[in-house]
Amino acid sequence: YDDGKGWRRYRDAVAVLGAASSSSGIAALSRIASSMEIWWVGIDGSVQGAFWYDDATPTWQRYPVTGFGAASTTSGVAAASRYDGNMEIWWIGPHGSVEGAFWYDDGKNWRRYGAPVAPNGSAAQAHCIDAVSRTRNSMDVLWIAPNGEVRWAYWRHGSEWEVDSSPVAPAHSASPASGISVINRGFTGMEAVWVAPDGSVQGASWPATTGWQPYPGPVTGPGGASTTGGITGQARTASTVEIFWVAPDGSVHVAVRDDVLLPSNFRLLRPRDLRDLRCTAGGGELGGDESTPSATEYTVVRGDMLWDIAERFYGDPLLYPIIAAANDLPDPDVIHPGQVLVIPARPTPDDPPVT
């Protein structure tokens, strides 16, 4: 709690000794301010859950979602809530199918989907599944296939689940033993990140207008991440993305991308960067001993193009997306005489860390 006391462990376990498979994944969400829910795979292959409500008896209460044998005991679990009265979870079946269940605030228990999201053999039996609900009428589930493909299935209100015919990433793109994380960018987009077989962190973005597109480069290079470790990401603001992963030596690393200051490029943060990280309403900003250059303004004159303005201020015309993003320009090719543009300071990221 934001009370200055720091983190505190629960006095009692959420589930008793032996309740969960020791190789199971786990998922959690809070659909309303007064409740939390978590799910895991039991030692018998059942999918189990527990809920907490801030009421007269605020203790965790366990419940079964499925019977035994429904899930691989090494499966991950993914969860999403489309709105306050709904929750959905997904897992990998014992033969590599992608399975799911749903709950509505209608007095009924959890119900499994009538058919798998994807058939047997579709998914690797590891913590390689994640999901988002970008709107109350849509859900997207991504997973890693046994051959290292990254696959995608989607649900839209009024339709059944459909596995997209094209993979998010081709065979051998992802380690089948690694995790995957889907990042919600709102109605118009999402992103996914995973660990490649060479230990690099790779990703792809899905703008609604173009479909899945691979990142222009890795988040971190070969050997930077454990091929059996977890990975997760978030977008706290409209312009920032943070990715966290486990390195081969067991350390946890983080990289940040700011679509205003440095579009399409992730910056690995060193420990000293984290000491100077300041979180604001606009996202994460790195402070330090030197003052950060401030933005300036420029008034467009006849004949100007964003390409030319970027070259004038940054010495590089290819940095024009920074100006376009800072001014919310829907079409970078369209600017008008008399228009006042904000010109952010030229980004000067550090070199990548040695380790």
Side-chain angles (χ1 to χ4, degrees), residues 192-209:
V193 290
W194 59 86
V195 179
D198 65 358
S200 60
V201 174
Q202 305 284 344
S205 59
W206 183 85
T209 54

Side-chain angles (χ1 to χ4, degrees), residues 186-332:
F187 175 77
T188 59
M190 56 184 164
E191 302 187 27
V193 290
W194 59 86
V195 179
D198 65 358
S200 60
V201 174
Q202 305 284 344
S205 59
W206 183 85
T209 54
T210 61
W212 287 102
Q213 303 291 326
Y215 282 172
V219 177
T220 188
S226 166
T227 55
T228 60
I231 186 170
T232 191
Q234 64 177 5
R236 294 183 300 107
T237 73
S239 65
T240 58
V241 174
E242 292 95 8
I243 310 296
F244 305 83
W245 65 90
V246 179
D249 63 0
S251 58
V252 178
H253 290 245
V254 57
V256 177
R257 188 186 77 226
D258 189 318
D259 291 331
V260 173
L261 293 180
L262 197 61
S264 303
N265 289 279
F266 280 91
R267 174 180 179 180
L268 290 169
L269 297 187
R270 297 185 174 101
R272 66 175 177 82
D273 293 327
L274 297 177
R275 287 197 299 269
D276 293 333
L277 187 63
R278 302 290 182 265
C279 297
T280 69
E285 298 176 350
L286 289 173
D289 297 334
E290 298 178 2
S291 60
T292 302
S294 59
T296 187
E297 292 185 346
Y298 174 76
T299 302
V300 177
V301 300
R302 180 178 294 276
D304 272 342
M305 298 179 63
L306 219 56
W307 178 279
D308 301 321
I309 296 172
E311 185 171 28
R312 180 181 308 168
F313 283 91
Y314 300 145
D316 184 352
L318 294 177
L319 294 181
Y320 75 89
I322 298 175
I323 304 173
N327 292 274
D328 297 321
L329 299 179
D331 185 348

Side-chain angles (χ1 to χ4, degrees), residues 26-43:
I26 192 168
L29 64 77
S30 174
R31 62 184 178 86
I32 56 177
S34 59
S35 80
M36 299 180 287
E37 310 238 357
I38 63 172
W39 300 270
W40 64 89
V41 178
I43 57 174

